[in-house]
């Protein structure tokens, strides 16, 4: 079997510590970061991870499921231990993705992996980086993302509702089952978008100054 790499190109080995995002609800903010140890590899390009802890607090203790199979390209290999707060383990209940970056968090120029769409200036909401991270975008940038999404004709569409809510809808050609996700702008009018497709860094970042 060919050597598997994480999204940064780092080799993934047995018993390596990894972080990966996991969607657990329909909200754009229902994303948890999972820390685990690589257990096994699959010919399909997925790896099985034994879960150590997650960033979603659960009322009954524990981490819920103890093992997940995830695409190798969705994980980040990290030193052990990864350092997710021990008190964040548990078994049920929502945990919002941070709605505001750290004050010093710079804008990053993003594109959708495998396309030439963008660049989209966005602010990260987590200290770690993964293709499925959530970023904060202005309304203007969110509109550009929606326009490019409709050009792609991939089975995923989006529409702005009268109250400013952005609703993503997909059919069975995009995911195994049809579904929808609503994104409500925050107090600054920014949209938290992530987990629906893999992001990549815009290749011209080194020569372009991001503008909000």
């Amino acid at each position: 079997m060919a050597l598997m790499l994480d999204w940064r190109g780092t080799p993934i080995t047995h018993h390596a510590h990894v972080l990966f995002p996991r969607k657990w609800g329909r909200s754009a903010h229902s994303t948890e970061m999972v820390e685990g140890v690589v257990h096994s590899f699959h010919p399909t390009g997925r790896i099985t991870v034994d879960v150590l802890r997650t960033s979603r607090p659960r009322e009954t203790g524990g981490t819920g499921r103890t093992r997940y199979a995830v695409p190798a390209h969705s994980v980040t290999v990290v030193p052990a231990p990864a350092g997710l707060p021990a008190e964040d383990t548990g078994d049920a209940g929502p945990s919002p993705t941070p709605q505001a970056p750290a004050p010093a968090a710079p804008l990053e120029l993003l594109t959708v992996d495998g396309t030439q769409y963008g660049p989209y200036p966005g602010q990260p909401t987590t200290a770690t980086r993964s293709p499925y991270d959530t970023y904060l975008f202005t309304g203007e940038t969110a509109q550009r993302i929606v326009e490019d999404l409709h050009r792609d004709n991939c089975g995923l569409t989006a529409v702005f509702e009268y109250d400013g809510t952005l609703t993503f809808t997909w059919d069975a050609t995009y995911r195994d089952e049809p579904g929808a996700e609503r994104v409500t702008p925050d107090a600054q009018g920014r949209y938290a978008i992530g987990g629906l497709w893999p992001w990549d860094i815009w290749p011209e970042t080194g020569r372009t100054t991001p503008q909000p």
Side-chain angles (χ1 to χ4, degrees):
M1 183 184 301
L3 182 67
M4 291 190 184
L5 307 176
D6 73 359
W7 72 280
R8 299 174 302 183
T10 303
I12 304 173
T13 60
H14 281 285
H15 307 303
H17 278 241
V18 295
L19 289 175
F20 61 92
R22 177 180 173 271
K23 300 288 290 183
W24 56 269
R26 293 187 176 183
S27 167
H29 313 312
S30 301
T31 302
E32 61 181 332
M33 288 302 297
V34 180
E35 176 188 352
V37 176
V38 175
H39 175 269
S40 59
F41 299 86
H42 303 272
T44 58
R46 299 171 74 84
I47 61 175
T48 298
V49 178
D50 287 326
V51 176
L52 296 177
R53 67 193 82 185
T54 80
S55 63
R56 176 161 62 109
R58 292 171 168 84
E59 297 174 355
T60 59
T63 58
R65 287 182 56 181
T66 58
R67 183 171 290 177
Y68 287 112
V70 296
H73 62 74
S74 71
V75 308
T76 303
V77 175
V78 295
L84 282 176
E87 64 270 20
D88 280 349
T89 58
D91 215 359
S95 174
T97 298
Q99 285 303 291
L107 286 173
E108 296 180 6
L109 287 180
L110 304 167
T111 182
V112 177
D113 187 31
T115 75
Q116 296 182 347
Y117 300 144
Y120 309 124
Q123 284 187 297
T125 60
T126 60
T128 59
R129 291 293 179 273
S130 162
Y132 291 91
D133 278 349
T134 296
Y135 290 81
L136 296 175
F137 300 95
T138 65
E140 180 180 356
T141 301
Q143 179 66 53
R144 290 177 50 218
I145 292 173
V146 170
E147 292 172 357
D148 288 340
L149 177 64
H150 291 170
R151 291 168 51 199
D152 203 64
N153 192 29
C154 62
L156 174 66
T157 59
V159 63
F160 286 92
E161 300 177 17
Y162 71 94
D163 61 353
T165 299
L166 175 57
T167 301
F168 292 93
T169 306
W170 56 88
D171 58 27
T173 64
Y174 189 76
R175 287 185 172 176
D176 292 339
E177 297 181 358
E181 182 168 292
R182 294 163 59 88
V183 181
T184 303
D186 65 11
Q188 288 74 47
R190 299 170 301 182
Y191 291 81
I193 301 175
L196 295 172
W197 55 76
W199 297 112
D200 197 3
I201 299 299
W202 179 256
E204 300 298 321
T205 297
R207 298 188 293 274
T208 306
T209 300
Q211 299 295 325

Short mmCIF file of all heavy atoms in Angstrom, two decimals, residues 19-62:
data_model
loop_
_atom_site.label_atom_id
_atom_site.label_comp_id
_atom_site.label_asym_id
_atom_site.label_seq_id
_atom_site.Cartn_x
_atom_site.Cartn_y
_atom_site.Cartn_z
N LEU A 19 -5.06 15.08 14.42
CA LEU A 19 -6.26 15.89 14.67
C LEU A 19 -7.09 15.90 13.40
O LEU A 19 -6.55 15.93 12.30
CB LEU A 19 -5.89 17.31 15.04
CG LEU A 19 -5.24 17.59 16.40
CD1 LEU A 19 -4.84 19.05 16.50
CD2 LEU A 19 -6.19 17.22 17.53
N PHE A 20 -8.41 15.89 13.56
CA PHE A 20 -9.26 16.04 12.39
C PHE A 20 -10.60 16.63 12.82
O PHE A 20 -11.05 16.42 13.94
CB PHE A 20 -9.47 14.70 11.66
CG PHE A 20 -10.12 13.63 12.48
CD1 PHE A 20 -11.50 13.45 12.48
CD2 PHE A 20 -9.34 12.78 13.25
CE1 PHE A 20 -12.08 12.45 13.24
CE2 PHE A 20 -9.93 11.77 14.00
CZ PHE A 20 -11.30 11.60 14.00
N PRO A 21 -11.23 17.41 11.93
CA PRO A 21 -12.54 17.98 12.25
C PRO A 21 -13.64 16.98 11.96
O PRO A 21 -13.52 16.13 11.07
CB PRO A 21 -12.63 19.18 11.31
CG PRO A 21 -11.85 18.74 10.11
CD PRO A 21 -10.73 17.87 10.63
N ARG A 22 -14.72 17.06 12.70
CA ARG A 22 -15.85 16.16 12.49
C ARG A 22 -17.15 16.94 12.64
O ARG A 22 -17.38 17.59 13.65
CB ARG A 22 -15.82 15.01 13.49
CG ARG A 22 -17.04 14.08 13.35
CD ARG A 22 -17.00 12.94 14.33
NE ARG A 22 -18.24 12.18 14.27
CZ ARG A 22 -19.33 12.45 15.00
NH1 ARG A 22 -19.30 13.45 15.88
NH2 ARG A 22 -20.43 11.75 14.87
N LYS A 23 -17.98 16.88 11.60
CA LYS A 23 -19.30 17.48 11.67
C LYS A 23 -20.22 16.55 12.43
O LYS A 23 -20.24 15.35 12.20
CB LYS A 23 -19.87 17.70 10.26
CG LYS A 23 -19.03 18.62 9.39
CD LYS A 23 -19.13 20.05 9.82
CE LYS A 23 -20.51 20.61 9.52
NZ LYS A 23 -20.61 22.04 9.88
N TRP A 24 -21.00 17.08 13.39
CA TRP A 24 -21.90 16.24 14.15
C TRP A 24 -23.33 16.77 14.16
O TRP A 24 -24.21 16.21 14.79
CB TRP A 24 -21.41 16.08 15.59
CG TRP A 24 -21.21 17.36 16.34
CD1 TRP A 24 -20.05 18.08 16.41
CD2 TRP A 24 -22.18 18.09 17.10
NE1 TRP A 24 -20.23 19.21 17.16
CE2 TRP A 24 -21.52 19.23 17.62
CE3 TRP A 24 -23.51 17.88 17.43
CZ2 TRP A 24 -22.17 20.16 18.42
CZ3 TRP A 24 -24.15 18.81 18.23
CH2 TRP A 24 -23.47 19.93 18.71
N GLY A 25 -23.61 17.84 13.42
CA GLY A 25 -24.97 18.37 13.35
C GLY A 25 -25.14 19.15 12.07
O GLY A 25 -24.24 19.24 11.25
N ARG A 26 -26.29 19.74 11.90
CA ARG A 26 -26.58 20.47 10.67
C ARG A 26 -26.09 21.90 10.70
O ARG A 26 -25.95 22.53 9.67
CB ARG A 26 -28.08 20.46 10.39
CG ARG A 26 -28.61 19.07 10.06
CD ARG A 26 -30.07 19.13 9.62
NE ARG A 26 -30.55 17.81 9.22
CZ ARG A 26 -31.77 17.59 8.73
NH1 ARG A 26 -32.61 18.60 8.58
NH2 ARG A 26 -32.14 16.37 8.40
N SER A 27 -25.81 22.42 11.89
CA SER A 27 -25.36 23.80 12.00
C SER A 27 -23.94 23.94 11.48
O SER A 27 -23.12 23.03 11.61
CB SER A 27 -25.42 24.27 13.46
OG SER A 27 -24.71 25.48 13.62
N ALA A 28 -23.62 25.12 10.91
CA ALA A 28 -22.26 25.38 10.46
C ALA A 28 -21.30 25.40 11.62
O ALA A 28 -20.09 25.25 11.45
CB ALA A 28 -22.20 26.72 9.72
N HIS A 29 -21.82 25.59 12.83
CA HIS A 29 -20.96 25.67 13.99
C HIS A 29 -20.82 24.34 14.71
O HIS A 29 -20.15 24.26 15.73
CB HIS A 29 -21.51 26.73 14.96
CG HIS A 29 -21.88 28.00 14.29
ND1 HIS A 29 -21.04 28.63 13.40
CD2 HIS A 29 -23.00 28.76 14.37
CE1 HIS A 29 -21.64 29.73 12.96
NE2 HIS A 29 -22.82 29.83 13.52
N SER A 30 -21.47 23.29 14.21
CA SER A 30 -21.44 21.99 14.87
C SER A 30 -20.27 21.18 14.37
O SER A 30 -20.42 20.15 13.71
CB SER A 30 -22.76 21.25 14.64
OG SER A 30 -23.85 21.99 15.11
N THR A 31 -19.08 21.64 14.66
CA THR A 31 -17.86 20.96 14.26
C THR A 31 -17.00 20.78 15.50
O THR A 31 -16.80 21.71 16.26
CB THR A 31 -17.08 21.77 13.21
OG1 THR A 31 -17.91 21.98 12.06
CG2 THR A 31 -15.82 21.03 12.78
N GLU A 32 -16.52 19.56 15.70
CA GLU A 32 -15.62 19.30 16.82
C GLU A 32 -14.26 18.89 16.27
O GLU A 32 -14.16 18.34 15.17
CB GLU A 32 -16.17 18.20 17.72
CG GLU A 32 -16.33 16.85 17.02
CD GLU A 32 -16.89 15.78 17.95
OE1 GLU A 32 -16.67 15.87 19.16
OE2 GLU A 32 -17.54 14.84 17.43
N MET A 33 -13.21 19.20 17.02
CA MET A 33 -11.89 18.72 16.69
C MET A 33 -11.65 17.44 17.49
O MET A 33 -11.89 17.40 18.69
CB MET A 33 -10.82 19.76 17.02
CG MET A 33 -10.82 20.95 16.08
SD MET A 33 -10.57 20.51 14.33
CE MET A 33 -8.92 19.81 14.38
N VAL A 34 -11.22 16.40 16.79
CA VAL A 34 -11.00 15.10 17.41
C VAL A 34 -9.51 14.79 17.41
O VAL A 34 -8.82 15.00 16.40
CB VAL A 34 -11.76 13.99 16.65
CG1 VAL A 34 -11.53 12.63 17.30
CG2 VAL A 34 -13.25 14.31 16.58
N GLU A 35 -9.01 14.33 18.54
CA GLU A 35 -7.62 13.89 18.65
C GLU A 35 -7.61 12.39 18.82
O GLU A 35 -8.41 11.82 19.57
CB GLU A 35 -6.94 14.54 19.87
CG GLU A 35 -5.51 14.02 20.07
CD GLU A 35 -4.92 14.52 21.38
OE1 GLU A 35 -5.54 15.37 22.04
OE2 GLU A 35 -3.83 14.03 21.73
N GLY A 36 -6.71 11.72 18.10
CA GLY A 36 -6.65 10.27 18.21
C GLY A 36 -5.32 9.72 17.75
O GLY A 36 -4.42 10.46 17.34
N VAL A 37 -5.23 8.39 17.80
CA VAL A 37 -4.02 7.67 17.40
C VAL A 37 -4.37 6.76 16.23
O VAL A 37 -5.39 6.05 16.27
CB VAL A 37 -3.47 6.84 18.59
CG1 VAL A 37 -2.28 6.01 18.15
CG2 VAL A 37 -3.09 7.75 19.74
N VAL A 38 -3.53 6.77 15.21
CA VAL A 38 -3.79 5.97 14.01
C VAL A 38 -3.74 4.49 14.36
O VAL A 38 -2.75 4.00 14.93
CB VAL A 38 -2.77 6.30 12.91
CG1 VAL A 38 -2.98 5.38 11.70
CG2 VAL A 38 -2.90 7.75 12.49
N HIS A 39 -4.81 3.77 14.02
CA HIS A 39 -4.91 2.34 14.33
C HIS A 39 -4.62 1.47 13.11
O HIS A 39 -3.91 0.47 13.20
CB HIS A 39 -6.31 2.03 14.87
CG HIS A 39 -6.57 0.58 15.11
ND1 HIS A 39 -7.10 -0.26 14.16
CD2 HIS A 39 -6.35 -0.20 16.21
CE1 HIS A 39 -7.20 -1.48 14.65
NE2 HIS A 39 -6.76 -1.47 15.89
N SER A 40 -5.18 1.85 11.95
CA SER A 40 -4.99 1.02 10.76
C SER A 40 -5.23 1.84 9.51
O SER A 40 -5.74 2.97 9.56
CB SER A 40 -5.94 -0.19 10.79
OG SER A 40 -7.29 0.23 10.87
N PHE A 41 -4.87 1.27 8.36
CA PHE A 41 -4.99 1.93 7.06
C PHE A 41 -5.90 1.09 6.15
O PHE A 41 -5.98 -0.13 6.28
CB PHE A 41 -3.62 2.08 6.41
CG PHE A 41 -2.65 2.90 7.20
CD1 PHE A 41 -1.87 2.32 8.20
CD2 PHE A 41 -2.51 4.26 6.97
CE1 PHE A 41 -0.98 3.07 8.94
CE2 PHE A 41 -1.61 5.02 7.70
CZ PHE A 41 -0.85 4.43 8.69
N HIS A 42 -6.57 1.77 5.22
CA HIS A 42 -7.46 1.09 4.30
C HIS A 42 -7.05 1.41 2.85
O HIS A 42 -6.59 2.53 2.57
CB HIS A 42 -8.91 1.54 4.52
CG HIS A 42 -9.39 1.33 5.92
ND1 HIS A 42 -9.96 0.16 6.35
CD2 HIS A 42 -9.36 2.15 7.01
CE1 HIS A 42 -10.27 0.27 7.63
NE2 HIS A 42 -9.91 1.45 8.05
N PRO A 43 -7.21 0.46 1.94
CA PRO A 43 -6.85 0.70 0.53
C PRO A 43 -7.62 1.84 -0.10
O PRO A 43 -7.21 2.39 -1.12
CB PRO A 43 -7.19 -0.64 -0.14
CG PRO A 43 -7.19 -1.64 0.96
CD PRO A 43 -7.67 -0.91 2.18
N THR A 44 -8.76 2.22 0.48
CA THR A 44 -9.59 3.29 -0.07
C THR A 44 -9.04 4.68 0.23
O THR A 44 -9.63 5.67 -0.19
CB THR A 44 -11.01 3.19 0.49
OG1 THR A 44 -10.96 3.28 1.92
CG2 THR A 44 -11.67 1.87 0.09
N GLY A 45 -7.93 4.76 0.98
CA GLY A 45 -7.38 6.06 1.33
C GLY A 45 -7.86 6.59 2.66
O GLY A 45 -7.60 7.74 3.01
N ARG A 46 -8.56 5.75 3.42
CA ARG A 46 -9.03 6.15 4.74
C ARG A 46 -8.16 5.50 5.82
O ARG A 46 -7.51 4.48 5.58
CB ARG A 46 -10.50 5.74 4.94
CG ARG A 46 -11.44 6.39 3.94
CD ARG A 46 -12.83 5.80 4.04
NE ARG A 46 -13.55 6.24 5.22
CZ ARG A 46 -14.24 7.38 5.30
NH1 ARG A 46 -14.27 8.21 4.28
NH2 ARG A 46 -14.88 7.71 6.40
N ILE A 47 -8.15 6.12 6.98
CA ILE A 47 -7.44 5.57 8.12
C ILE A 47 -8.42 5.42 9.28
O ILE A 47 -9.39 6.17 9.37
CB ILE A 47 -6.25 6.46 8.54
CG1 ILE A 47 -6.73 7.85 8.95
CG2 ILE A 47 -5.21 6.53 7.45
CD1 ILE A 47 -5.63 8.75 9.50
N THR A 48 -8.18 4.43 10.12
CA THR A 48 -8.98 4.25 11.32
C THR A 48 -8.22 4.86 12.49
O THR A 48 -7.04 4.58 12.69
CB THR A 48 -9.26 2.77 11.60
OG1 THR A 48 -10.00 2.23 10.50
CG2 THR A 48 -10.08 2.60 12.87
N VAL A 49 -8.92 5.70 13.25
CA VAL A 49 -8.30 6.44 14.36
C VAL A 49 -8.98 6.07 15.66
O VAL A 49 -10.21 6.12 15.77
CB VAL A 49 -8.40 7.96 14.12
CG1 VAL A 49 -7.79 8.72 15.30
CG2 VAL A 49 -7.72 8.35 12.82
N ASP A 50 -8.17 5.67 16.66
CA ASP A 50 -8.69 5.46 18.01
C ASP A 50 -8.78 6.82 18.70
O ASP A 50 -7.78 7.53 18.83
CB ASP A 50 -7.77 4.54 18.80
CG ASP A 50 -7.85 3.10 18.34
OD1 ASP A 50 -8.95 2.68 17.94
OD2 ASP A 50 -6.83 2.39 18.38
N VAL A 51 -9.99 7.21 19.11
CA VAL A 51 -10.23 8.54 19.67
C VAL A 51 -9.68 8.65 21.09
O VAL A 51 -9.94 7.79 21.94
CB VAL A 51 -11.73 8.87 19.66
CG1 VAL A 51 -12.00 10.22 20.32
CG2 VAL A 51 -12.26 8.86 18.23
N LEU A 52 -8.92 9.71 21.34
CA LEU A 52 -8.43 10.01 22.68
C LEU A 52 -9.32 11.03 23.37
O LEU A 52 -9.67 10.89 24.53
CB LEU A 52 -7.00 10.56 22.62
CG LEU A 52 -5.94 9.59 22.09
CD1 LEU A 52 -4.60 10.31 22.03
CD2 LEU A 52 -5.84 8.35 22.95
N ARG A 53 -9.69 12.08 22.65
CA ARG A 53 -10.53 13.13 23.22
C ARG A 53 -11.06 13.98 22.09
O ARG A 53 -10.59 13.91 20.96
CB ARG A 53 -9.75 13.97 24.21
CG ARG A 53 -8.63 14.80 23.59
CD ARG A 53 -7.69 15.36 24.63
NE ARG A 53 -6.71 14.35 25.01
CZ ARG A 53 -5.82 14.52 25.97
NH1 ARG A 53 -5.80 15.64 26.67
NH2 ARG A 53 -4.95 13.59 26.26
N THR A 54 -12.07 14.80 22.39
CA THR A 54 -12.63 15.71 21.41
C THR A 54 -12.84 17.07 22.06
O THR A 54 -12.78 17.21 23.28
CB THR A 54 -13.99 15.21 20.86
OG1 THR A 54 -15.02 15.51 21.80
CG2 THR A 54 -13.97 13.72 20.58
N SER A 55 -13.09 18.07 21.23
CA SER A 55 -13.31 19.43 21.74
C SER A 55 -14.77 19.70 22.05
O SER A 55 -15.13 20.81 22.40
CB SER A 55 -12.81 20.45 20.71
OG SER A 55 -13.55 20.36 19.51
N ARG A 56 -15.63 18.68 21.93
CA ARG A 56 -17.07 18.87 22.20
C ARG A 56 -17.40 18.31 23.57
O ARG A 56 -17.31 17.11 23.80
CB ARG A 56 -17.92 18.17 21.14
CG ARG A 56 -19.41 18.25 21.41
CD ARG A 56 -20.21 17.97 20.16
NE ARG A 56 -20.02 16.65 19.63
CZ ARG A 56 -20.92 15.68 19.67
NH1 ARG A 56 -22.10 15.89 20.24
NH2 ARG A 56 -20.68 14.51 19.13
N PRO A 57 -17.78 19.17 24.53
CA PRO A 57 -18.14 18.66 25.84
C PRO A 57 -19.38 17.80 25.78
O PRO A 57 -20.31 18.09 25.04
CB PRO A 57 -18.37 19.92 26.67
CG PRO A 57 -18.52 21.03 25.71
CD PRO A 57 -17.89 20.62 24.42
N ARG A 58 -19.39 16.74 26.55
CA ARG A 58 -20.54 15.85 26.60
C ARG A 58 -20.97 15.67 28.05
O ARG A 58 -20.14 15.50 28.92
CB ARG A 58 -20.19 14.50 25.95
CG ARG A 58 -19.97 14.61 24.44
CD ARG A 58 -19.42 13.29 23.91
NE ARG A 58 -19.43 13.21 22.47
CZ ARG A 58 -18.49 13.69 21.68
NH1 ARG A 58 -17.44 14.29 22.20
NH2 ARG A 58 -18.56 13.57 20.37
N GLU A 59 -22.26 15.68 28.25
CA GLU A 59 -22.79 15.71 29.61
C GLU A 59 -22.54 14.43 30.39
O GLU A 59 -22.40 14.44 31.60
CB GLU A 59 -24.30 15.99 29.56
CG GLU A 59 -24.62 17.36 28.97
CD GLU A 59 -26.11 17.54 28.79
OE1 GLU A 59 -26.85 16.56 29.04
OE2 GLU A 59 -26.53 18.63 28.42
N THR A 60 -22.48 13.29 29.70
CA THR A 60 -22.41 12.01 30.40
C THR A 60 -21.01 11.46 30.52
O THR A 60 -20.81 10.36 31.00
CB THR A 60 -23.29 10.97 29.69
OG1 THR A 60 -22.83 10.82 28.33
CG2 THR A 60 -24.73 11.42 29.67
N GLY A 61 -20.01 12.22 30.08
CA GLY A 61 -18.63 11.74 30.17
C GLY A 61 -18.27 10.84 29.01
O GLY A 61 -19.11 10.36 28.27
N GLY A 62 -16.99 10.61 28.80
CA GLY A 62 -16.52 9.80 27.69
C GLY A 62 -16.46 10.61 26.42
O GLY A 62 -16.75 11.80 26.38
#
